Amino acid sequence: MAYYQSRPVAGRHFLQIPGPSNVPDRVLRAIGNASMDHRGEDFGKLGTEILTSLPKIFKTVGPVLIFPSSGTGAWEAALANTLSPGDAVLMARTGQFAMLWEDMARRLGLQPVMMDTDWRHGADPNAIAAELEKDKAHKIKAVCVVHCETSTGCITRIQDVRAVMDAAKHPALLVVDAISSLAAMDYRHDNWRVDVTVSGSQKAMMLPPGLSFNAVSEKALAASKTARLPRAYFDWQAMLEINRTGYFPYTPAIGLLYGLNEAIKMLLEEGLDNVFARHDRFGEACRRAASVWGLENNCLDPREFSASVTTLRTPDGHSANNLRAVIAEKFNMSLGTGLGVINDKAFRIGHLGDLNDLTLVGTLGGVEMGMAVAGMPHKAGGVQAALEYLAGNARAAA
Ligand code: PLP
């Protein structure tokens, strides 16, 4: 049950926004444990356990730094530790979060070189190739892309971005925001030779908001030695130094770290490939339902469909915000709002983290009933299509 609700409602709230996501009971129970001495011997052991297991989720053998902040802090850490004032950074306006990151880069004194998109695709590897080709003097010091644009439901194909960077023989760092993709979609920090992966706790990592992460390559660490942007709280060196013994340079978010330890265990017990397959199935079930309803998927390229969030456009003249409000009131379910240029034109179904087939069916049921109540034109039967797909899929796996 939600901690705070202003009217009496029975049953569990359906939190189907694309993060914060639902926190499993096992993680909640871990978080509920008493604080411990963060300088004591046991904390060092716990810290070491977490710092050695977390990299498995990023598929890296290098370090992953943990900050007590939301994902925005990890964006800042990634830029501030690797870049210097006036550095050019190549970024793509793929959606709301990419644009917030651009704004941060400007405020930090960087010079973003921007590539526009229609908010219906990921960053275009060919456009990145063209920009890198033009940059003979290697002024661009980092290519910063959002893996899963949580606002649009489109992913950027990181392997293809890496390939064009290699083909151009460009030395820029590759910095990736994997905030809503980590632990939902296959992500390979080392194999894709990403230099900094930025992520956060409140999406498919199944924790409340409050922790953020930087996975860093050796190249990024080397860059941090000469980078001149000021940093203090988010300084990698201070953190890495003391992390070696399992401790943190300031009071860590102890409860969230208990939860993180438990969440990592759950992900590894399920097996990352199974976790990804589960999310893929949820994405496909949503799209099948939407296609029967006659709602258009905001993401246009099937290679770029997100497995953690589906952004659906509502018919012209029909308010997505009204639909969300009706669903919240009548069925006690929160769906993601359309952000930025698609505000009121789209809504988002979050299907990431701790959910199963029945959670998804309930979610889709809420959408279909909501459309009926709100008088939004649609064809009934989307939920049925999702049921058939999920049952067929389960049968095939049996
Ligand atoms: N990047 C992406 C892709 C996100 O989805 C979000 C938040 O939803 C952020 C960055 C910002 O993270 P936070 O709100 O945790 O600071």
Coordinates of all heavy atoms in Angstrom, one line a residue, residues 18-19 70-73 75 97 100 146 148-151 177-180 202-203 209, ligand 1:
P18 N 7.4 4.7 -15.5 CA 8.8 4.2 -15.8 C 9.8 4.6 -14.8 O 10.9 5.2 -15.2 CB 9.1 4.6 -17.2 CG 8.3 5.9 -17.4 CD 7.1 5.8 -16.5
G19 N 9.6 4.4 -13.6 CA 10.5 4.7 -12.5 C 10.1 6.1 -11.8 O 9.8 7.0 -12.5
S70 N 20.1 11.1 -6.8 CA 19.3 10.6 -7.9 C 20.2 10.5 -9.2 O 21.4 10.9 -9.1 CB 18.1 11.5 -8.2 OG 18.5 12.6 -8.9
G71 N 19.6 10.0 -10.3 CA 20.4 9.8 -11.5 C 21.1 11.1 -12.0 O 22.2 11.1 -12.6
T72 N 20.5 12.2 -11.8 CA 21.0 13.5 -12.2 C 22.4 13.7 -11.6 O 23.3 14.3 -12.3 CB 20.1 14.7 -11.8 OG1 18.8 14.4 -12.4 CG2 20.6 16.0 -12.3
G73 N 22.6 13.3 -10.4 CA 24.0 13.4 -9.8 C 25.0 12.6 -10.5 O 26.1 13.0 -10.7
W75 N 24.9 11.8 -13.7 CA 25.2 12.6 -15.0 C 26.3 13.6 -14.7 O 27.2 13.7 -15.5 CB 24.0 13.4 -15.3 CG 22.9 12.8 -16.3 CD1 23.0 11.7 -17.0 CD2 21.7 13.5 -16.6 NE1 21.9 11.6 -17.7 CE2 21.0 12.6 -17.5 CE3 21.0 14.6 -16.1 CZ2 19.8 12.9 -18.0 CZ3 19.8 14.9 -16.6 CH2 19.1 14.1 -17.6
F97 N 15.0 13.6 -21.4 CA 16.2 13.4 -20.5 C 17.5 13.8 -21.2 O 18.3 14.4 -20.6 CB 16.2 12.0 -20.0 CG 15.0 11.8 -19.1 CD1 13.9 11.1 -19.5 CD2 15.0 12.4 -17.8 CE1 12.8 11.0 -18.6 CE2 13.9 12.3 -17.0 CZ 12.8 11.6 -17.4
L100 N 17.7 17.5 -20.8 CA 18.1 17.9 -19.5 C 19.6 17.7 -19.3 O 20.3 18.5 -18.6 CB 17.3 17.1 -18.4 CG 15.8 17.5 -18.3 CD1 15.1 16.5 -17.3 CD2 15.6 18.9 -17.8
V146 N 21.8 8.8 -24.5 CA 20.9 8.1 -23.6 C 20.5 6.8 -24.2 O 19.9 6.7 -25.3 CB 19.7 9.0 -23.3 CG1 18.7 8.3 -22.4 CG2 20.1 10.4 -22.8
C148 N 18.2 4.3 -23.1 CA 16.8 4.2 -23.2 C 16.2 5.6 -22.8 O 16.3 6.0 -21.7 CB 16.2 3.2 -22.2 SG 14.4 3.2 -22.2
E149 N 15.7 6.3 -23.8 CA 15.0 7.6 -23.5 C 13.7 7.3 -22.9 O 12.7 7.0 -23.6 CB 14.9 8.3 -24.9 CG 15.0 9.8 -24.9 CD 15.1 10.7 -23.7 OE1 14.1 10.6 -22.9 OE2 15.9 11.5 -23.5
T150 N 13.6 7.5 -21.6 CA 12.4 7.2 -20.8 C 11.2 8.0 -21.3 O 10.1 7.6 -21.1 CB 12.7 7.4 -19.3 OG1 14.1 7.0 -19.1 CG2 11.8 6.5 -18.5
S151 N 11.4 9.1 -21.9 CA 10.3 9.9 -22.3 C 9.7 9.4 -23.6 O 8.4 9.5 -23.8 CB 10.7 11.4 -22.5 OG 11.8 11.5 -23.4
D177 N 24.0 7.1 -20.7 CA 22.9 7.1 -19.7 C 22.1 5.8 -19.8 O 21.4 5.6 -20.8 CB 22.0 8.3 -19.9 CG 20.8 8.3 -19.0 OD1 20.4 7.3 -18.5 OD2 20.2 9.4 -18.8
A178 N 22.3 4.9 -18.9 CA 21.6 3.6 -18.9 C 20.6 3.6 -17.7 O 20.4 2.6 -17.1 CB 22.6 2.4 -18.8
I179 N 20.1 4.8 -17.4 CA 19.3 4.9 -16.1 C 18.0 4.0 -16.2 O 17.7 3.3 -15.3 CB 19.0 6.4 -15.9 CG1 20.2 7.1 -15.4 CG2 17.8 6.5 -14.8 CD1 20.1 8.5 -15.0
S180 N 17.4 4.0 -17.4 CA 16.1 3.2 -17.4 C 16.4 1.9 -18.3 O 15.4 1.2 -18.6 CB 15.0 4.0 -18.0 OG 15.2 4.5 -19.3
Q202 N 16.3 3.6 -9.1 CA 14.8 3.6 -9.0 C 14.1 3.0 -10.2 O 12.9 3.1 -10.3 CB 14.3 5.0 -8.6 CG 14.2 5.9 -9.8 CD 15.5 6.7 -10.0 OE1 16.5 6.3 -9.7 NE2 15.4 7.9 -10.6
K203 N 14.8 2.4 -11.1 CA 14.2 1.9 -12.3 C 14.2 0.3 -12.2 O 13.6 -0.2 -11.3 CB 14.9 2.4 -13.5 CG 15.1 3.9 -13.5 CD 13.9 4.7 -14.1 CE 14.2 6.2 -14.1 NZ 13.1 6.9 -14.6
P209 N 14.3 5.7 -5.2 CA 15.3 6.6 -5.7 C 16.3 6.9 -4.6 O 16.0 6.8 -3.4 CB 14.4 7.9 -6.0 CG 13.0 7.5 -5.9 CD 12.9 6.2 -5.1
Ligands
PLP1 N1 18.0 9.9 -17.5 C1 17.0 9.1 -17.7 C2 16.9 8.3 -19.0 C3 15.9 9.1 -16.9 O1 14.8 8.4 -17.1 C4 15.9 9.9 -15.7 C5 14.8 10.0 -14.8 O2 13.7 9.5 -15.0 C6 17.0 10.7 -15.5 C7 18.1 10.7 -16.4 C8 17.1 11.7 -14.3 O3 17.3 10.9 -13.2 P1 16.8 11.4 -11.8 O4 15.4 11.9 -11.9 O5 16.9 10.1 -10.9 O6 17.7 12.4 -11.3

